[in-house]
Amino acid sequence: MTTPPSVVRDRALSLAGGELPAYLYDLSALSTHAAAVRETLPPQVELYYAAKANPEPEILAALSPYVDGYEVSSGGELAHVAKAVAGRPLAFGGPGKTPDEIAAALDLGVRRFHVESAYELRMLAALAARVAPETRVDVLLRFNLPLDAEALAGSSLAMGGRPTPFGLDPAEADDAVAAFASGDLECLELVGVHAHLASGLDAPQQLAVAASVVAWSQALARRHGIRLTEVNVGGGMGVDYADPEARFDWARYGQGLAELCAAHPELTLRIEPGRALTAYCGWYATEVLDVKRSHGEEFAVVRGGTHHLRTPAAKGHDQPCAVLPTRAPWPHPWPRSEARQDRVTFAGQLCTPKDVLARRVAAPGLRAGDRVVFGLAGAYAWNISHHDFLMHPRPGFHFL
Ligand SMILES: *Cc1c(COP(=O)(O)O)cnc(C)c1O
């Protein structure tokens, strides 16, 4: 269960059934949260927003005063973010960048790349020499660094320290750095190291990762007698879907990063969270279409489903929600279907048993026509969903 703020609650109750489902974004809550996050970070830490978590233009714009830039991971995100928040710094990351995407990024003035492989490094060097020969292009080499398994117990999506398609293998680090010294990579400047190794981490785990990435990058620099002035330690700050009121401990994280910065005064540290910035501001509001029994359990079928809010299916959890009973007179000649048990499973309109938003939620007296608002729907929700499956209408979008 969760408690929506009154702006969200009022909107969910005032929209007509036909205007639901709808994504309701509480932009003032987003601003307050982002400002508080920024406040905890020392000045040496730059905050980039990973646009893939939620690239709605209104969200990108609301974050703008509090972030130093945006991380984009495709040509599509690049074009979209460059338009939505024109003039803000962008870093181009992500695996499998095509030559066209890299050229487009250079054309748009992007001068910071997170390079994923030795092949991509050569490609970027050749394209930079052609498209932007007069300017310096900053490179952070992304590495798939080993993770301290103990420090990371419980992280949900580890993408480092085991075989993955992300970043360079640490065994290739010396050759990649040597390539810069050889003069083959004119136009490119190796400024540092990038590592996004896991998601769902708490603050002590994130600090352990940050310290180990910084130590690794400084050792690399020492071996080659060079300076590496930037370290990007990625995103992955945890969001607890089982406890929607919980928050990543930004104060503790900021304090730990300040200590790390104090030990490395020449370093710019960068973080690029997505989920932990925008998850809390988004709500998926819908209407109960039917309440029914099946083999001893009760189900409520709501308008919409996991084709709009794939998060619970993708992560295998129950999306936190709140039931808002509607007391307006029932406008139909047929009776409302209603729950007889205390617990109801919320399913969507898709013809698949996977279309479940939340299981066995306490909802005594739930009736057709009641509203349900799902929280933590501001990140990896609408934009990771398979919208066209079954051809139901798209939700509304409201920026409150
Ligand atoms: C997805 C991603 C992020 C953001 O991760 P969150 O878990 O949303 O914080 C940051 N950096 C890279 C490279 C990513 O792929």
Side-chain angles (χ1 to χ4, degrees):
M1 280 297 198
T2 183
T3 313
S6 54
V7 276
V8 167
R9 194 192 151 82
D10 293 349
R11 186 64 64 96
L13 284 168
S14 67
L15 289 171
E19 296 172 300
L20 295 169
Y23 269 98
L24 310 179
Y25 292 112
D26 185 352
L27 291 183
S28 81
L30 175 62
S31 297
T32 305
H33 176 58
V37 168
R38 177 66 259 181
E39 191 66 23
T40 64
L41 299 172
Q44 248 176 285
V45 173
E46 289 188 359
L47 172 61
Y48 271 48
Y49 171 58
K52 78 169 189 282
N54 185 332
E56 294 294 338
E58 290 85 350
I59 299 268
L60 298 173
L63 287 172
S64 184
Y66 313 106
V67 300
D68 298 284
Y70 298 80
E71 190 260 353
V72 297
S73 292
S74 74
E77 283 189 357
L78 171 77
H80 172 84
V81 176
K83 190 163 163 240
V85 283
R88 297 308 315 275
L90 305 182
F92 190 12
K97 298 179 193 72
T98 67
D100 287 351
E101 288 176 319
I102 290 178
L106 291 164
D107 263 340
L108 274 170
V110 175
R111 293 294 179 266
R112 180 174 284 115
F113 288 77
H114 301 158
V115 171
E116 293 263 341
S117 74
Y119 172 76
E120 189 180 293
L121 189 60
R122 300 287 168 177
M123 188 198 299
L124 175 61
L127 292 168
R130 198 178 78 207
V131 181
E134 311 302 328
T135 57
R136 186 185 112 171
V137 173
D138 286 353
V139 167
L140 283 85
L141 293 174
R142 179 178 181 182
F143 285 104
N144 177 353
L145 298 179
L147 287 169
D148 174 350
E150 212 165 296
L152 297 180
S155 76
S156 59
L157 268 184
M159 52 205 89
R162 61 184 180 84
T164 71
F166 306 113
L168 286 92
D169 194 88
E172 295 177 13
D174 289 319
D175 284 351
V177 173
F180 285 89
S182 74
D184 291 354
L185 303 173
E186 247 183 303
C187 292
L188 304 189
E189 176 97 5
L190 176 61
V191 297
V193 161
H194 176 282
H196 171 72
L197 299 174
S199 70
L201 304 186
D202 65 18
Q205 291 172 325
Q206 281 283 5
L207 287 170
V209 170
S212 77
V213 175
V214 168
W216 188 88
S217 92
Q218 297 307 300
L220 179 67
R222 268 197 308 278
R223 280 207 300 286
H224 291 266
I226 57 170
R227 274 162 36 92
L228 291 177
T229 55
E230 296 187 14
V231 172
N232 185 323
V233 295
M237 294 71 185
V239 167
D240 189 347
Y241 289 87
D243 183 2
E245 308 309 322
R247 293 293 180 274
F248 181 82
D249 190 347
W250 287 101
R252 180 161 177 187
Y253 187 56
Q255 177 59 37
L257 291 183
E259 288 161 19
L260 196 55
C261 290
H264 300 276
E266 290 178 5
L267 200 62
T268 297
L269 259 187
R270 194 171 297 121
I271 61 172
E272 50 184 27
R275 192 187 304 272
L277 285 179
T278 53
Y280 305 103
C281 75
W283 301 82
Y284 180 67
T286 186
E287 179 191 40
V288 175
L289 293 174
D290 198 357
V291 183
K292 58 203 281 192
R293 279 149 288 283
S294 177
H295 295 271
E297 293 209 19
E298 283 196 310
F299 289 82
V301 179
V302 300
R303 280 188 198 256
T306 55
H307 54 304
H308 296 162
L309 176 60
R310 189 163 165 261
T311 326
K315 289 182 69 74
H317 64 220
D318 296 322
Q319 199 70 20
C321 64
V323 172
L324 309 177
T326 41
R327 306 196 198 285
W330 182 241
H332 303 297
W334 56 86
R336 291 173 88 165
S337 55
E338 85 178 64
R340 293 185 205 143
Q341 301 175 12
D342 287 345
R343 300 219 163 239
V344 173
T345 290
F346 288 105
Q349 291 173 286
L350 301 183
C351 307
T352 156
K354 293 186 178 166
D355 188 23
V356 172
L357 294 161
R359 288 172 187 77
R360 303 182 57 71
V361 176
L366 183 77
R367 295 188 291 176
D370 284 342
R371 302 291 151 84
V372 189
V373 187
F374 292 89
L376 302 191
Y380 304 106
W382 164 250
N383 68 319
I384 64 157
S385 304
H386 46 301
H387 311 145
D388 293 329
F389 187 42
L390 263 85
M391 301 178 75
H392 286 293
R394 299 210 159 193
F397 287 84
H398 302 258
F399 297 89
L400 311 175

